[in-house]
């Protein structure tokens, strides 16, 4: 691999736009993804999925399938149950208003007697080839008794609605609340003005470029299990599969997540397919591989969003916000996915204060089961829903007050930090005026009126929309989330191993599946140790190499993962100083470390880092009661608070009234991510996130048939992923208030684009059309209807 | 995909021979429709008869007022052809707007019209230009060829060999792509040949159709203004996730106007 820049602190350290080390292998096709791995004797799994949204399985006849050529085995839910495996779990307990625990039914790995969504897992056929597995699956005779299904939250909560789980009367998983109800009511009582809005946050299908895949392997000599899988958090997968599902003991199960081609949340969760692969591999004593076909991804990857909300904002006579009241119904799908319950509650309700000083907030969220694919975290996870709600109602309020939306926001911004919101969060720092002003400058807000007039002269409608978002990253301070019901504390681990030649391996519990950790993490090490970046290797994604970790999601790898690396680096440097003191025959307190060299302060006596590393392993005569040989340190970092990236996105659109086509003329994103390690990678994260946000706002429409529960948008022929020509040239700007609660000042940048963009787009479209609201995705037909109604 | 036998005949006669006496043989052109259907196990032909080596199905030839395009000519070749761009630029533009580069480098004219997808682009071009479809046994006028959703006048074992397009005085094509698939949600091809004008619409209905009211109006005044108030009824038009029948009806008028404008 050709080396990147020559690499020293200045060129490859914090803040340098280093080209991504991993890209050479990715763009030349040399990446090694799960599906690229073929083990000797490997067999292939194919899952028979439910064609119905809701049905009772009266009987399954697998005899013909078992006898089909090449078929090795056919398993159903009965076989899984007979082996005593547990069901799939949800790791976050939510309590309802009345204090009761959320209600949920069993989530069997393979269906037992009931299927609850189209794509639910009925049986698995394992064969010598995939074609034979598919042929075998066609011979399985399932006797279904079809029942009525519900796909939307309103229908699911209606009286006499079809029931998903016996344990969940009325399909209501939880009725959660947050905030001070009485104080909020009092705020509404004294309000001079109220603004209300009811809208949906549309359901999305993640569509990572690489579909999910798994290979289970079992060594009958040692009793070791290995699972290769497309995971964002292999250690969590191992923990869940061993401690909860009971597939294998934790110390006997190795989970490897090799190169992973995107996740966006959908690869956090522990699904049926990988569970079956490990379990079946041990039963059959041979490797079992499964790779999702794209239509399976559409049906069975956890979906995102899907809220229906009613929001009310109370204002005083001067346009100051007094209170916000929200009632949301969140569609959870048919079963609770791994983190499903936390997304529409603690990752959502806690962000409803936005960037504004709102004295009272009260939010109720009903979590509802429906006959659809499970819904869980998807890029932004709760925060896009919160931002959309806040920024839509704020823009609407400004219009109803006949006030400039920029001015209205300024009037209500939080300006003193730390700021305690009424919904748990304590913002450590931010400068919302700075990002708003910079975004207005970049979009040339002052020139908008002229541009609008020019559009009108051409028969077009032009609008501008703002979205001053805030989000919470770096999940999560273990103490805080523990008290809120999280099953695990979400710290991160790191180990820094210095080799005798002075090169370094960094082992991290974070997992890179597109984020560029191999570059940014190496930049941190290069910066701190003063060594060339090519001498740093980032190791991740293998539970046999990295002791434990929580993985990558919620934009946590910088804020939490790199903080752990920093702590380990501090320990390496501290030990290096002790070794240097010995080598240079000086007092430890006189040793400085700078520019890759340990030096006796005020002298020219120094030892370069690489020489010191060699001495650490080969030197003689260390005072071993004071200094152990070797140079390797590890650290666990538990954040003390969330981080709060914030910024301002502005969309300017032009609409063709004849067709209803919306063209994005300008899109400006100004973000405050705190300290930036690599501005190029950060800009890339913003571009990708904004593309997904625009996708949600304008193109992506996950639709189920309300009667049959069939997925109507089940392929790229109908589900519209944004493509390059759907998107404008993005203008990306940065402001910087470093996070005050972690060592590097990093806030996180992975999701902001998807969080900020949708409201900016819809605010711009409603501005252009002079209407209050329009549903996402803002399709040409919806716009055309709005114009012609 | 199920098992099948694969053949690469060299001549039309060989291809025809292969078509007879087999269970469920299928011709294979660019495979852009057939192969995905087979992969999804929705089609299970016993035999695939690949036309790519068959002589006489290739080539673009212009002779006077007719442009002949072979059945196996790829969309990308039509889009890039100097002959097509000079004779019927709207047809080159139509081909250049089909799918994506991969699809355009594999998909063929013959495959497209044999398939007669209600959202495909070529049927609009063939119908508006009053093209003649040649097969291994006869010539079929476009008005007789396209029969409705995925239906054509072709016999079970008939092989398209090429299409002859009369060169029009003016022609224009305007497509409103389905945002997801990029097939035509509505595509309107307008062609003026002699004093007659033909307007063909794809994507909107269960099959490509003409709009006589627009044709009459344009014959006396070939301008967008002339058809601005002419609309097609939405009854019987397609409806799906992406657009209602009413919306498609609106797009027919808008795209027809734009097709006329692009032809001027
Ligand atoms: C992603 C994607 C996007 C697309 N977008 C568009 C679009 O925007 N607009 C558009 O118009 N089309 C689009 N298409 C369709 C594509 O352009 C092809 O025209 C179409 O797939 C058929 O052509 P083919 O050569 O691939 O035929 P094949 O798939 O090989 O065959 C299709 C059918 O025609 C039959 N057939 C083929 N050749 C002959 C012949 N010479 N005589 C008789 N029967 C024959 C075959 O037996 C088969 O039944 C798209 C396809 C894909 C995959």
């Amino acid at each position: 691999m050709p080396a990147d820049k020559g690499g020293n602190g200045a060129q490859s350290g914090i803040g340098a736009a280093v080209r991504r080390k991993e890209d050479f292998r990715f763009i030349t096709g040399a990446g090694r993804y799960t599906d690229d791995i073929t083990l000797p004797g490997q067999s292939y799994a194919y899952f028979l999925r439910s064609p119905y949204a809701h049905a009772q399985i009266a009987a399954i006849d697998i005899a013909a399938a078992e006898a089909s050529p090449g078929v090795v085995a056919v398993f159903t839910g009965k076989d899984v149950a007979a082996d005593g495996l547990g069901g799939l779990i949800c790791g976050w307990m939510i309590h309802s208003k009345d204090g009761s625990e959320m209600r949920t039914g069993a989530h069997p790995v393979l269906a037992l007697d009931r299927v609850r969504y189209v794509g639910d897992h009925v049986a698995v056929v394992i064969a010598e080839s995939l074609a034979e597995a598919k042929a075998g699956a066609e011979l399985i005779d399932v006797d279904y008794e079809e029942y009525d299904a519900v796909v939307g939250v309103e229908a699911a909560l209606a009286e006499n609605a079809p029931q998903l789980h016996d344990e969940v009367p009325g399909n209501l998983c939880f009725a959660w609340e947050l905030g001070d109800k009485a104080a909020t009511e009092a705020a509404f009582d004294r309000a001079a003005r109220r603004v209300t809005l009811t809208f949906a946050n549309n359901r999305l299908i993640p569509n990572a470029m690489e579909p999910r895949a798994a290979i289970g392997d079992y060594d009958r000599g040692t009793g070791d299990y290995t699972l290769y899988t497309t995971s964002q958090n292999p250690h969590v997968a191992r923990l869940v599969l061993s401690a909860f599902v009971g597939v294998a003991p934790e110390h006997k199960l190795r989970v490897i997540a090799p190169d992973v081609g995107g996740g966006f949340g959908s690869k956090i969760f522990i699904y049926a397919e990988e569970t079956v692969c490990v379990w079946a591999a041990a039963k059959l004593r041979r490797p079992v591989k499964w790779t999702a076909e794209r239509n399976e991804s559409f049906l069975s990857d956890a979906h995102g969003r899907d809220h229906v909300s009613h929001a009310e904002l109370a204002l005083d006579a001067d346009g100051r916000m007094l209170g916000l009241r929200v009632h949301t119904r969140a569609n959870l799908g048919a079963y609770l996915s791994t983190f499903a319950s936390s997304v529409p509650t603690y990752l959502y309700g806690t962000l409803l204060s936005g960037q504004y000083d709102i004295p009272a907030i009260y939010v109720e969220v009903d979590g509802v089961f429906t006959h659809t694919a499970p819904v869980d975290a998807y890029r932004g996870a709760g925060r896009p829903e919160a931002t959309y709600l806040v920024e839509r109602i704020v823009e609407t309020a400004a219009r109803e007050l006949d006030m400039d939306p920029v001015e209205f926001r300024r009037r209500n911004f939080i300006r003193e930090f730390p700021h305690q919101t009424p919904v748990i969060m304590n913002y450590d720092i931010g400068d919302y005026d700075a990002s708003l002003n910079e975004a207005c400058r970049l979009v040339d807000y002052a020139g908008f009126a002229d541009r609008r007039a020019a559009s009108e002269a051409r028969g077009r409608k032009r609008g501008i929309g703002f979205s001053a978002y805030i989000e919470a990253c770096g999940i999560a301070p273990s103490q805080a989330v523990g008290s809120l019901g999280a099953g695990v504390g979400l710290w991160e681990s790191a180990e820094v191993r210095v080799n005798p030649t002075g090169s370094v391996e960094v082992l991290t519990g974070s997992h890179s599946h597109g984020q560029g950790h191999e570059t940014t993490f190496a930049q941190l090490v290069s910066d701190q140790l003063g060594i060339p970046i090519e001498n740093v290797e980032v190791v991740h994604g293998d539970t046999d190499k990295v002791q434990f970790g929580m993985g990558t999601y919620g934009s946590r790898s910088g804020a939490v993962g790199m903080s752990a690396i920093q702590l380990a680096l501090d320990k390496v440097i501290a030990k290096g100083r002790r070794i240097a003191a010995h080598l240079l025959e000086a007092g430890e307190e006189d040793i400085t470390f700078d520019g890759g060299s340990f030096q006796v302060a005020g002298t020219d006596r120094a030892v370069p880092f690489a020489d010191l590393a060699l001495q650490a392993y080969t030197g003689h005569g260390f005072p071993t009661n004071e200094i152990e040989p070797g140079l390797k340190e590890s650290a666990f970092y538990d954040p003390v608070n969330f981080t709060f990236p914030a910024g301002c996105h502005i969309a300017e659109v032009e609409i063709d009234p004849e067709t209803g086509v919306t063209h994005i003329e300008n899109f400006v994103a100004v973000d405050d991510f705190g300290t930036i390690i690599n501005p190029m990678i950060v800009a890339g994260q913003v571009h990708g996130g904004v593309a997904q946000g625009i996708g949600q706002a304008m193109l992506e429409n996950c639709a189920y048939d309300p009667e049959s529960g069939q997925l109507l948008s089940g392929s790229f022929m109908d589900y519209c992923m944004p493509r390059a020509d759907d998107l404008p040239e993005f203008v990306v700007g940065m402001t910087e208030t470093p996070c005050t609660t972690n060592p590097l000042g990093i806030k996180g940048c992975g999701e902001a684009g998807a969080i900020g963009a949708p409201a900016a787009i819809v605010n711009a479209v409603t501005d252009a059309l002079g209407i209050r609201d329009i549903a996402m995705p803002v399709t040409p037909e919806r716009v055309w209807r709005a114009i012609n109604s | 995909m199920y098992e099948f036998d694969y053949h690469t005949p060299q001549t039309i006669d060989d291809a025809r021979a292969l078509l007879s006496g087999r269970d469920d043989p299928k011709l294979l052109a660019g495979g852009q429709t057939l192969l995905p259907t087979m992969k999804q196990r929705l089609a299970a032909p016993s035999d695939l008869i690949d036309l790519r080596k068959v002589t006489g199905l290739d080539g673009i030839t212009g002779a006077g007022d007719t442009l002949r395009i072979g059945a196996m000519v790829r969309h990308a070749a039509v889009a890039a052809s100097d002959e097509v761009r000079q004779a019927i630029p709207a047809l080159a533009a139509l081909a250049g707007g089909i799918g994506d580069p991969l699809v355009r480098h594999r998909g063929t004219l013959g495959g497209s019209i044999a398939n007669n997808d209600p959202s495909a682009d070529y049927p609009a071009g063939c119908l508006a230009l009053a093209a003649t479809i040649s097969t291994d046994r006869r010539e079929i006028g476009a008005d007789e060829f396209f029969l409705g959703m995925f239906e054509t006048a072709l016999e079970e074992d008939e092989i398209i060999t090429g299409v002859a397009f009369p060169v029009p005085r003016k022609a224009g094509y305007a497509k409103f792509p389905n945002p997801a698939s990029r097939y035509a949600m509505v595509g309107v091809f307008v062609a003026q040949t002699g004093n007659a004008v033909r307007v063909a619409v794809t994507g909107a209905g269960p099959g490509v159709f003409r709009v006589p009211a627009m044709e009459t109006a344009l014959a006396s005044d070939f301008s967008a203004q002339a058809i601005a108030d002419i609309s097609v009824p939405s009854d019987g038009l397609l409806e799906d996730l992406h657009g209602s029948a009413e919306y498609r009806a609106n797009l027919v008028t808008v795209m027809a106007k734009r097709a006329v404008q692009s032809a001027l």
Side-chain angles (χ1 to χ4, degrees):
Chain A
M1 175 177 155
D4 270 298
K5 304 211 166 176
N8 58 36
Q11 286 172 319
S12 61
I14 293 173
V18 180
R19 285 166 69 185
R20 302 197 339 157
K21 291 176 75 171
E22 47 272 79
D23 280 352
F24 178 79
R25 76 173 187 279
F26 292 151
I27 62 185
T28 60
R32 188 164 176 267
Y33 299 87
T34 299
D35 192 55
D36 294 325
I37 297 166
T38 299
L39 300 179
Q42 175 175 288
S43 61
Y44 296 82
Y46 178 76
F47 287 85
L48 181 70
R49 294 175 185 276
S50 171
Y52 300 112
H54 190 196
Q56 187 72 19
I57 300 177
I60 306 183
D61 183 352
I62 58 170
E66 283 180 316
S68 184
V71 169
V72 177
V74 181
F75 297 120
T76 67
K78 289 207 177 71
D79 301 299
V80 178
D83 274 11
L85 260 61
L88 301 173
I89 60 153
C90 177
W92 199 310
M93 172 55 69
I94 295 297
H95 290 86
S96 287
K97 286 173 228 178
D98 63 6
S100 64
E101 295 190 343
M102 67 184 182
R103 301 202 168 97
T104 178
H107 187 180
V109 175
L110 295 178
L112 279 167
D113 46 13
R114 188 77 75 90
V115 284
R116 295 184 173 86
Y117 66 100
V118 174
D120 205 352
H121 314 71
V122 175
V124 62
V125 181
I126 297 161
E128 300 294 341
S129 71
L130 182 58
E132 287 166 321
K134 285 186 181 181
E138 275 175 8
L139 300 174
I140 297 178
D141 187 9
V142 187
D143 184 1
Y144 293 105
E145 192 184 328
E146 201 186 345
Y147 293 162
D148 287 344
V150 277
V151 303
V153 286
E154 309 291 347
L157 291 174
E159 223 164 306
N160 300 323
Q163 297 291 294
L164 270 285
H165 302 279
D166 294 343
E167 302 85 343
V168 190
N171 299 321
L172 185 65
C173 174
F174 53 78
W176 177 83
E177 66 176 352
L178 182 65
D180 187 334
K181 186 178 184 183
T184 309
E185 266 163 21
F188 274 84
D189 287 344
R190 63 169 193 281
R193 197 156 190 143
R194 299 164 178 214
V195 180
T196 65
L197 213 48
T198 300
F199 44 55
N201 200 287
N202 47 324
R203 180 187 276 240
L204 304 174
I205 303 178
N207 279 310
M209 203 184 290
E210 180 206 18
R212 287 190 294 121
I215 309 174
D217 189 21
Y218 179 72
D219 182 327
R220 125 186 123 75
T222 60
D224 289 338
Y225 298 72
T226 305
L227 170 64
Y228 298 87
T229 184
T230 50
S231 176
Q232 300 180 215
N233 44 348
H235 292 87
V236 176
R238 183 175 68 153
L239 178 63
V240 170
L241 287 171
S242 58
F244 297 96
V245 185
V247 168
E250 191 173 16
H251 65 293
K252 285 295 194 186
L253 175 59
R254 176 181 184 185
V255 178
I256 302 173
D259 283 334
V260 175
F264 310 109
S266 69
K267 293 172 182 168
I268 299 171
F269 322 121
I270 289 77
Y271 292 89
E273 291 87 355
E274 60 263 30
T275 308
V276 167
C277 285
V278 205
W279 168 72
K283 264 182 112 61
L284 301 173
R285 306 270 156 110
R286 58 188 290 190
V288 178
K289 180 185 209 169
W290 169 77
T291 303
E293 295 185 356
R294 186 57 67 177
N295 69 325
E296 296 185 275
S297 307
F298 275 98
L299 289 174
S300 71
D301 286 5
H303 293 173
R305 322 277 192 257
D306 205 346
H307 286 192
V308 176
S309 295
H310 180 69
E312 300 167 87
L313 184 64
L315 299 156
D316 73 9
D318 299 326
R320 283 206 171 71
M321 298 179 197
L322 299 175
L324 177 68
R325 196 154 52 190
V326 175
H327 190 158
T328 292
R329 288 176 165 167
N331 194 334
L332 302 168
Y335 303 99
L336 282 184
S337 172
T338 317
F339 291 108
S341 55
S342 64
V343 176
T345 52
Y346 288 106
L347 300 185
Y348 165 70
T350 52
L351 272 306
L352 287 172
S353 196
Q355 300 185 352
Y356 310 105
D357 191 355
I358 310 179
I361 298 177
Y362 178 66
V363 51
E364 294 169 279
V365 180
D366 302 328
V368 184
F369 286 111
T370 64
H371 293 105
T372 61
V375 178
D376 207 323
Y378 170 61
R379 201 170 194 170
R383 292 102 83 210
E385 296 90 315
T387 290
Y388 186 71
L389 185 139
V390 171
E391 289 304 294
R392 283 289 296 120
I393 199 158
V394 162
E395 194 97 351
T396 307
R399 288 175 195 163
E400 290 185 2
L401 293 169
D402 212 7
M403 201 188 270
D404 180 290
V406 170
E407 180 47 37
F408 179 60
R409 285 181 171 82
R410 282 193 187 121
R411 187 160 301 184
N412 287 283
F413 273 160
I414 294 162
R415 291 200 175 77
E416 278 168 32
F417 296 91
H419 174 87
Q420 178 62 51
T421 73
V423 278
I424 299 178
M425 292 304 190
N426 189 287
Y427 301 166
D428 63 329
I429 193 154
D431 185 345
Y432 310 139
D433 289 292
S435 44
L436 179 70
N437 293 343
E438 176 65 0
C440 286
R441 187 184 71 80
L442 289 173
V443 84
D444 181 22
Y445 186 39
F448 173 71
D450 289 346
R451 295 195 295 278
R452 172 177 256 170
S455 294
E456 270 164 16
R458 285 184 288 115
R460 304 286 166 120
K461 295 173 181 291
R462 201 177 188 100
I464 194 163
F466 299 80
S467 175
Y469 75 91
I470 188 161
E471 61 136 334
C473 288
I475 188 167
S478 61
Q479 203 175 338
V481 295
S483 70
L484 303 178
V488 285
L490 296 170
W491 41 261
E492 197 47 85
S493 78
E495 186 176 319
V496 174
R497 294 183 187 163
V498 181
N499 296 318
T501 57
S503 64
V504 171
E505 277 133 38
V506 182
L507 286 73
T508 170
S510 299
H511 184 276
S512 188
H513 33 279
Q515 294 85 349
H517 296 171
E518 288 168 44
T519 306
T520 48
F521 289 11
Q523 282 182 256
L524 172 61
V525 176
S526 168
D527 188 279
Q528 297 291 292
L529 299 182
I531 60 173
I533 192 167
E534 56 268 28
N535 289 3
V536 184
E537 194 65 25
V538 177
V539 178
H540 66 97
D542 184 341
T543 60
D544 260 15
K545 293 181 180 165
V546 179
Q547 188 235 330
F548 204 88
M550 285 299 173
T552 289
Y553 40 84
S555 305
R556 67 191 304 274
S557 300
V560 190
M562 290 180 90
S563 293
I565 297 173
Q566 180 64 49
L567 298 190
L569 287 169
D570 289 345
K571 292 185 190 176
V572 165
I573 292 167
K575 182 166 181 187
R577 291 177 64 221
R578 264 184 285 143
I579 297 172
H582 168 74
L583 295 174
L584 300 170
E585 295 174 341
E588 194 187 322
E589 61 287 354
D590 294 330
I591 302 293
T592 59
F593 180 62
D594 193 25
S597 182
F598 293 91
Q599 192 156 5
V600 182
T603 74
D604 59 0
R605 279 171 29 234
V607 53
F609 182 78
D611 293 1
L612 180 127
L614 188 64
Q615 287 296 325
Y617 288 93
T618 63
H620 304 284
F622 279 126
T624 45
N625 53 343
E626 287 164 34
I627 308 176
E628 290 174 17
L631 196 50
K632 180 187 96 163
E633 298 290 346
S634 62
F636 284 72
Y637 173 75
D638 189 359
V640 296
N641 191 1
F642 288 91
T643 66
F644 298 97
C648 182
H649 291 192
I650 304 178
E652 192 172 325
V653 302
E654 194 183 71
I655 290 170
D656 171 359
E658 282 192 327
T659 58
V661 168
T662 300
H663 188 257
I664 304 171
E665 297 290 316
N666 286 311
F667 197 98
V668 170
V670 175
D671 301 287
D672 177 357
F673 297 137
T675 305
I676 304 269
I677 304 294
N678 183 323
M680 181 193 69
I681 287 180
V682 167
Q685 289 286 325
V686 173
H687 288 185
V690 169
Q692 275 169 304
I694 290 174
Q696 167 163 32
M698 299 180 66
L699 304 165
E700 298 183 47
N701 188 17
C702 171
Y704 280 96
D705 183 87
E707 298 296 318
S708 67
Q710 293 296 326
L711 181 62
L712 299 174
S713 54
S715 81
F716 289 132
M717 296 300 275
D718 287 305
Y719 189 84
C720 185
M721 292 297 282
R723 280 171 267 199
D725 64 352
D726 293 316
L727 302 168
E729 201 71 32
F730 303 124
V731 177
V732 175
M734 300 284 164
T735 59
E736 192 172 318
T737 60
C739 170
T740 63
T741 59
N742 65 41
L744 292 162
I746 295 177
K747 293 183 178 175
C749 66
E751 296 157 292
I755 291 167
I761 296 285
V762 176
N763 285 338
V765 171
T766 49
D767 179 48
L769 300 179
I771 56 174
R772 276 191 111 231
D773 192 29
I774 191 164
M776 292 194 290
V778 181
T779 59
E781 171 155 12
R782 284 183 173 147
V783 172
W784 175 76
R785 286 196 178 277
I787 294 170
N788 290 287
S789 66
Chain B
M1 214 179 257
Y2 298 95
E3 272 183 18
F4 56 86
D5 288 326
Y6 175 76
H7 314 270
T8 47
Q10 314 276 329
T11 65
I12 289 278
D13 286 344
D14 289 351
R16 200 171 13 209
L18 284 163
L19 276 172
S20 62
R22 279 168 218 266
D23 254 7
D24 183 16
K26 273 258 171 225
L27 298 171
L28 175 68
Q32 294 304 289
T33 294
L34 186 52
L35 296 183
T37 340
M38 288 172 63
K39 282 187 187 166
Q40 288 168 42
R41 300 166 88 88
L42 298 172
S46 62
D47 295 79
L48 278 192
I49 302 159
D50 194 337
L51 295 175
R52 86 195 143 91
K53 291 193 176 161
V54 174
T55 49
L57 302 182
D58 235 334
I60 298 172
T61 45
D65 47 13
T66 304
L67 184 75
R68 191 186 177 283
I69 305 181
M72 284 299 286
V73 176
R74 318 275 169 181
H75 310 328
V78 173
S81 154
D82 285 339
E83 253 148 342
V84 182
R85 288 157 88 154
Q86 264 158 33
I88 320 177
L91 192 64
L94 175 150
I98 293 176
D100 52 51
L102 188 148
V103 169
R104 289 196 290 276
H105 279 88
R106 297 216 72 102
T108 66
L109 171 59
S112 176
I113 61 173
N115 193 46
N116 193 20
D117 188 305
S119 312
D121 295 293
Y122 267 130
C126 292
L127 188 60
L129 291 164
T132 301
I133 290 97
S134 316
T135 74
D136 59 334
R137 64 200 66 165
R138 57 179 169 151
E139 316 255 278
I140 312 171
D143 284 300
E144 284 75 49
F145 183 86
F146 300 104
L147 297 184
M149 219 185 252
F150 298 107
E151 269 186 63
T152 66
L154 289 175
E155 317 231 339
E156 194 83 340
D157 61 347
E158 197 166 358
I159 305 173
I160 301 172
T161 52
V163 180
F165 295 94
V167 175
R169 264 172 50 195
K170 285 175 187 165
Y173 182 60
K175 171 179 181 175
F176 189 94
N178 172 316
S181 73
R182 303 278 170 105
Y183 272 85
M185 202 144 108
V186 168
V188 182
F189 202 107
V190 175
Q192 187 185 42
T193 317
N195 288 326
V197 174
R198 289 167 67 106
V199 177
V201 178
T202 189
V208 62
F209 63 89
R210 289 170 61 187
V211 189
M214 289 188 182
E215 294 181 351
T216 315
L218 290 171
S220 55
D221 172 12
F222 196 80
S223 75
Q225 202 44 48
I227 53 170
D229 294 326
I230 302 177
S231 55
V232 297
S234 59
D235 285 356
L237 295 191
L238 297 178
E239 289 209 87
D240 57 24
L241 268 185
H242 309 281
S244 64
E246 235 183 318
Y247 180 58
R248 280 185 160 87
N250 166 66
L251 287 180
V252 169
T253 304
V254 176
M255 291 301 121
K257 286 195 299 179
R258 292 183 185 180
V260 170
Q261 271 159 356
S262 75
L264 289 174

